[in-house]
């Protein structure tokens, strides 16, 4: 399975854009889409509070699956069941389910309401994905697990540790899936399991495993053997599978490397090709970078936009398909994306391009390469402005028109050009993204610089 992870906790694209992108992903070698809806899912009933104002409708979710099926992409929904649940625990209604009261990152596994809530969330998502044969339960980066009062008391009473507590909760989640959804197979990230000893995992295998209670149930939490050769710092541990007799194992995947900075896998507003070490290294690295980042967590700034990340994603997919990076593969990517060349060391692609969202690719490149420099040059290097229209003059509305005219036309032209550019950029962004994403991206990447120019022009006039 070559899954492209659509992490929708930020910059969720409109379905009309996915309609253009899915054929490209299939052409580049993907055969599945891992969809982490978060607050973009159309939750109903008591869960409606979790929905974003721009959440997909039920019709949208169905359309996404139809599009995926049309292009031979298997849809795997991802529901976070332990950590990364800020979109849930930020709400006052669910604050009592936090592991640590101050932090909305992770569930308290000892409160009965936690599992009850997860069952409701899983049920709504699974019911809308009846074509899917897999469900991903997340379970990565369960920050602060073991720090809450309930967890400390549990570990003390049961002579347990964070690892056994983690497994206990995961087994309960998988037990619900196994009991309610015949044949549905589970995936999860592996990072939390790496902290658990082989012995503890083997003990789970020999004990009351939540999986395969009877033949045909295809859910198992762990098969670390699948990581051998994929994750460089994981020793092959082929004796750690928990699948029972006759069970198709669940699969562990290394989580995508993440950072609160929008610099991964390249600059947020920058050219979208990855540096050489990202594509020339082993296949595990390509696999680890298969997700165009959206947001590090529910509270962080946006990372790169999907159209900006497509060249990087294309290279990673083709590296994974081919088992390595080759010049022939690079040529195929160039032909597919409509570029003439790419300089991996400089993270740049040359040419007009011909893929969905390429206009945004080029416009973002202009923002990253020229906006900040041109504004700062006008403000800090124009001697007439520094000498006759300083912050002191502007604050007191005091200046000599003769001197101001030496820079006025230049500043007004610069302002007019950038405002025209931004109108064009906004129009293209609005075709792909919902208003909240457009506003946030503009606030983070354009307004900090353009607002300085706007203020200067206002004061000049």
């Amino acid at each position: 399975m070559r899954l492209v992870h659509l992490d929708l906790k930020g910059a969720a694209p409109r379905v009309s854009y996915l309609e253009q992108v899915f054929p490209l992903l299939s052409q580049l070698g993907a055969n599945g889409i891992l969809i982490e809806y978060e607050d973009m899912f159309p939750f109903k009933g008591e869960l409606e509070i979790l929905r974003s104002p721009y959440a997909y409708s039920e019709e949208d979710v169905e359309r996404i699956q139809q599009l995926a099926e049309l292009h031979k992409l298997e849809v795997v929904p991802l529901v976070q069941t332990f950590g990364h649940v800020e979109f849930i625990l930020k709400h006052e209604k669910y604050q009592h389910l936090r592991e640590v009261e101050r932090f909305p990152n992770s569930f308290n596994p000892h409160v009965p309401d936690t599992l009850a809530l997860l069952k409701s969330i899983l049920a709504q998502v699974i019911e809308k994905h009846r074509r899917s044969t897999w469900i991903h339960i997340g379970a990565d980066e369960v920050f602060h697990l073991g720090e809450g009062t309930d967890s400390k008391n549990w570990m003390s009473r049961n002579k347990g540790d964070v690892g056994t507590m983690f497994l206990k909760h995961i087994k309960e989640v998988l037990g619900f899936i196994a009991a309610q959804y015949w044949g549905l197979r589970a995936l999860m990230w592996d990072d939390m399991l790496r902290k658990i000893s082989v012995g503890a995992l083997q003990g789970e295998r020999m004990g009351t495993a939540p999986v395969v209670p009877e033949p045909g149930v295809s859910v198992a939490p762990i098969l670390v053997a699948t990581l051998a050769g994929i994750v460089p710092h994981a020793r092959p541990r082929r004796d750690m599978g928990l699948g029972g007799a006759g069970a198709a194992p669940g699969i562990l995947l290394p989580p995508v490397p993440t950072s609160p900075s929008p610099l991964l896998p390249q600059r947020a507003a920058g050219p979208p090709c990855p540096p050489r070490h990202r594509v020339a290294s082993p296949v595990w690295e390509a696999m680890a970078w298969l997700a165009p980042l959206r947001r590090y967590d529910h509270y962080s700034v946006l990372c790169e936009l999907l159209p900006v990340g497509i060249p990087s994603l294309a290279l990673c997919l083709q590296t994974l398909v081919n088992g390595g990076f080759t010049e022939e593969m690079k040529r195929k990517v160039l032909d597919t994306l409509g570029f003439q060349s790419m300089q991996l060391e400089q993270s740049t692609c040359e040419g007009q391009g011909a893929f969905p969202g390429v206009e945004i690719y080029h416009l973002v490149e202009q923002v990253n390469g020229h906006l900040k420099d041109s504004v700062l040059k006008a403000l800090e290097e124009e001697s007439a402005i520094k000498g006759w229209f300083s912050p002191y003059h502007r604050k007191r509305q005091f200046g000599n028109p003769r001197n101001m005219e030496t820079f006025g036309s230049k500043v007004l032209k610069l302002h007019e050009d950038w405002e025209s550019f931004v109108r064009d950029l906004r129009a293209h962004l609005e075709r792909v993204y919902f208003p909240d994403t457009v506003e946030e991206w503009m606030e983070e990447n354009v307004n900090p610089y353009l607002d300085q120019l706007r203020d200067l022009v206002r004061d000049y006039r």
Side-chain angles (χ1 to χ4, degrees):
M1 296 174 72
R2 296 180 296 275
L3 303 173
V4 173
H5 180 188
L6 293 181
D7 186 349
L8 304 182
K9 61 171 60 69
R14 296 179 185 271
V15 176
S16 56
Y17 183 65
L18 295 179
E19 188 171 354
Q20 302 172 60
V21 169
F22 279 10
L24 176 64
L25 299 182
S26 181
Q27 184 181 356
L28 290 167
N31 58 17
I33 305 292
L34 178 67
I35 306 182
E36 185 169 358
Y37 287 101
E38 218 179 78
D39 58 359
M40 288 300 293
F41 187 80
F43 291 108
K44 297 190 298 185
E46 290 189 359
L47 300 181
E48 191 170 348
I49 190 176
L50 303 180
R51 295 175 58 165
S52 159
Y54 300 101
Y56 294 140
S57 66
E58 293 184 25
E59 292 74 21
D60 289 335
V61 172
E62 175 61 24
R63 178 61 178 153
I64 290 171
Q65 293 175 88
Q66 290 174 355
L67 291 168
E69 191 172 13
L70 180 64
H71 299 290
K72 297 180 172 54
L73 298 168
E74 181 164 2
V75 173
V76 180
L78 190 159
V79 176
Q80 286 286 0
T81 57
F82 215 158
H84 283 299
V85 285
E86 295 91 347
F87 82 103
I88 299 171
L89 298 183
K90 72 177 183 180
H91 295 286
E92 185 177 358
K93 178 179 180 179
Y94 298 118
Q95 283 184 9
H96 68 291
L97 303 182
R98 296 177 178 183
E99 167 70 357
V100 176
E101 186 178 359
R102 287 194 303 137
F103 306 133
N105 304 75
S106 307
F107 277 123
N108 177 345
H110 311 288
V111 179
D113 286 354
T114 291
L115 189 60
L117 175 62
L118 284 173
K119 288 179 179 180
S120 298
I121 293 173
L122 283 163
Q124 289 201 19
V125 173
I126 292 172
E127 286 298 327
K128 294 298 178 187
H129 292 84
R130 281 303 195 174
R131 299 179 184 81
S132 298
T133 58
W134 295 89
I135 180 74
H136 196 306
I137 62 168
D140 60 309
E141 296 183 330
V142 188
F143 298 134
H144 307 293
L145 182 61
E147 296 177 17
T149 302
D150 289 345
S151 288
K152 290 177 180 177
N153 291 339
W154 184 92
M155 289 187 288
S156 176
R157 288 195 308 269
N158 295 276
K159 295 186 171 65
D161 56 19
V162 171
T164 55
M165 194 163 57
F166 173 82
L167 287 176
K168 178 178 179 294
H169 177 72
I170 294 303
K171 287 170 65 175
E172 289 174 341
V173 171
L174 290 169
F176 166 73
I177 295 171
Q180 295 295 318
Y181 302 100
W182 183 267
L184 189 62
R185 293 172 289 180
L187 298 95
M188 64 187 292
W189 302 126
D190 77 305
D191 57 304
M192 295 298 294
L193 291 155
R194 294 194 195 178
K195 304 170 186 176
I196 303 173
S197 69
V198 173
L201 290 170
Q202 287 177 325
E204 290 297 320
R205 180 182 184 182
M206 301 305 293
T208 56
V211 297
V212 290
E214 46 191 298
V217 177
S218 305
V219 181
I222 308 164
L223 185 63
V224 178
T226 59
L227 291 175
I230 295 178
V231 183
H233 54 281
R235 292 171 297 170
R237 301 196 288 193
R238 301 178 185 279
D239 56 348
M240 293 167 62
L242 298 196
I251 303 298
L252 280 172
L253 299 175
V256 173
T258 50
S259 163
S261 160
L263 302 182
L264 294 175
Q266 59 274 332
R267 289 168 291 175
C273 293
R276 177 174 293 280
H277 72 273
R278 283 288 171 221
V279 292
S281 49
V283 175
W284 64 263
E285 182 119 3
M287 183 174 181
W289 282 99
L290 228 55
L293 298 180
R294 299 295 187 278
R295 197 189 294 279
Y296 175 67
D297 68 27
H298 194 74
Y299 287 91
S300 74
V301 297
L302 288 173
C303 298
E304 65 185 357
L305 300 174
L306 177 53
V308 176
I310 280 179
S312 176
L313 176 61
L315 281 174
C316 291
L317 269 172
Q318 278 294 294
T319 299
L320 186 61
V321 169
N322 289 280
F325 177 76
T326 65
E327 286 300 316
E328 182 182 354
M329 179 213 85
K330 177 180 169 183
R331 173 47 54 189
K332 178 181 177 181
V333 170
L334 288 171
D335 291 343
T336 302
L337 300 183
F339 286 123
Q340 277 70 58
S341 64
M342 56 176 64
Q343 305 300 322
L344 301 185
E345 293 84 356
Q346 286 78 41
S347 296
T348 58
C349 299
E350 290 79 36
Q352 189 171 358
F355 60 87
V358 70
E359 301 89 356
I360 292 175
Y361 169 90
H362 287 302
L363 291 167
V364 167
E365 203 170 32
Q366 290 294 309
V367 169
N368 186 68
H370 303 293
L371 174 59
K372 178 180 178 181
D373 289 344
S374 68
V375 171
L376 293 182
K377 184 176 181 180
L379 292 175
E380 298 175 6
E381 296 182 19
E382 183 69 48
S383 61
I385 293 178
K386 294 184 72 174
W388 285 282
F389 204 51
S390 71
Y392 179 88
H393 294 96
R394 292 168 59 185
K395 184 177 180 180
R396 289 160 179 80
Q397 298 183 12
F398 172 78
N400 187 328
R402 176 182 178 279
N403 302 119
M404 291 175 65
E405 286 174 4
T406 62
F407 67 82
S409 59
K410 186 188 299 185
V411 166
L412 292 174
K413 178 68 165 59
L414 180 67
H415 174 251
E416 180 185 339
D417 289 347
W418 275 116
E419 290 291 8
S420 175
F421 172 89
V422 166
R423 285 193 294 273
D424 192 28
L425 170 62
R426 182 180 287 274
H428 283 289
L429 288 174
E430 287 173 348
R431 293 189 190 109
V432 174
Y433 292 107
F434 298 99
D436 57 339
T437 296
V438 176
E439 290 307 317
E440 181 176 354
W441 198 89
M442 299 295 282
E443 286 282 348
E444 290 285 344
N445 297 284
V446 174
N447 293 354
Y449 311 110
L450 191 52
D451 281 351
Q452 296 179 61
L453 185 59
R454 288 165 173 160
D455 289 345
L456 179 68
V457 168
R458 179 201 62 208
D459 291 346
Y460 173 84
R461 285 174 171 157

